Amino acid sequence: MLIIFFRTLILYFLVVIVMRIMGKQQIGQLQPYELVVAIMIADLVAVPMQNKGIPLLTGIIPILTLLISQLFLSYVSMKSLHGREIICGKPTILIDKGKILTKELQKERYNINDLLEELRVMGYPNIADVEYAILETNGCLSVIPKVDKRPVTPNDLNLTPQYEGLPLPLIIDGKIIEKNMKMANVDMNWLNEQLKMWNISSIDNVILASLDPNNVLTVYKKE
């Protein structure tokens, strides 16, 4: 039992490291070749993990081989447009200028019910409001509405909104983020004074404290 326990831990940490090396896109939005790699890794890990008679290297070497192959394909897709089209494919336009392209739907094995469902998920229950719908290489649907159906922007109203930067978390789970404190150009005295205004006596009672570009601190207490 201990052998199986430690073999499982080794393979688990190996897979975690491999997925991290493959990049965030590997976890978030899988390309077809990345999905194949993920499925194969899961299958390769299961065999030596369940059968202690199989050497551990039997599972480790194929996983590392898949890692190298995936990194190579990712490098090719970044450096070569032609290679990217071969490996990842090209986006497919399903609705062009408000017209449904049935040939493209058939080519992608995408029926009209799937299209309507995805449009509803994107917030477009009426297909007549859609100017373009593009099926991306990762399987996601991108929608461009018709001009008169787009949300109003400040530019449409000839307004110039005030700049909004990125808020900086200064405290997370009761821990001070020193790097962000330096970026915000604030010190502990200032932070303590702000916490007193929120009736907080200890940093340990803060789950999140975020500073916006206007130097306004928003604090969330732990329950």
Side-chain angles (χ1 to χ4, degrees), residues 11-193:
L11 290 170
Y12 169 74
F13 285 114
L14 175 64
V15 172
V16 170
I17 293 171
V18 167
M19 297 301 286
R20 288 291 294 168
I21 294 174
M22 285 182 179
K24 293 181 179 178
Q25 185 179 7
Q26 183 72 18
I27 301 172
Q29 298 177 338
L30 297 178
Q31 296 290 346
Y33 74 96
E34 294 171 331
L35 178 61
V36 171
V37 170
I39 294 174
M40 291 182 68
I41 287 178
D43 188 54
L44 288 169
V45 167
V47 176
M49 188 166 53
Q50 296 173 353
N51 190 347
K52 63 181 180 180
I54 298 176
L56 198 57
L57 285 176
T58 304
I60 293 177
I61 293 176
I63 291 174
L64 295 179
T65 302
L66 287 175
L67 170 62
I68 295 171
S69 301
Q70 197 275 340
L71 293 177
F72 173 74
L73 290 177
S74 295
Y75 179 81
V76 172
S77 66
M78 285 191 299
K79 296 297 182 180
S80 170
L81 289 175
H82 184 63
R84 189 180 308 162
E85 291 181 0
I86 295 175
I87 296 171
C88 301
K90 295 187 294 184
T92 302
I93 299 177
L94 303 182
I95 299 179
D96 183 15
K97 297 179 181 178
K99 180 181 178 182
I100 300 175
L101 304 182
T102 54
K103 289 185 178 179
E104 297 299 329
L105 287 173
Q106 294 172 0
K107 177 182 174 183
E108 298 295 336
R109 307 293 189 270
Y110 212 86
N111 61 55
I112 189 66
N113 289 333
D114 292 334
L115 179 60
L116 293 174
E117 179 181 347
E118 289 297 323
L119 290 176
R120 288 193 296 270
V121 171
M122 297 290 294
Y124 298 98
N126 188 357
I127 195 172
D129 297 339
V130 178
E131 185 76 6
Y132 293 96
I134 304 168
L135 184 63
E136 306 294 354
T137 57
N138 58 11
C140 294
L141 190 70
S142 298
V143 179
I144 300 175
K146 293 183 177 179
V147 176
D148 58 339
K149 299 298 181 180
R150 296 178 185 176
V152 177
T153 65
N155 188 51
D156 295 331
L157 302 176
N158 294 321
L159 299 176
T160 305
Q162 188 176 3
Y163 171 76
E164 293 184 4
L166 186 66
L168 289 174
L170 303 183
I171 302 175
I172 297 178
D173 286 332
K175 305 295 182 183
I176 297 175
I177 311 301
E178 298 288 349
K179 180 179 67 173
N180 290 349
M181 292 277 289
K182 293 179 181 179
M183 290 179 61
N185 196 27
V186 297
D187 56 19
M188 282 300 304
N189 292 330
W190 179 88
L191 183 59
N192 288 327
E193 289 295 327

Side-chain angles (χ1 to χ4, degrees), residues 197-212:
M197 295 173 60
W198 286 83
N199 296 322
I200 297 176
S201 58
S202 174
I203 293 176
D204 294 333
N205 297 328
V206 178
I207 189 171
L208 176 65
S210 179
L211 184 69
D212 69 15

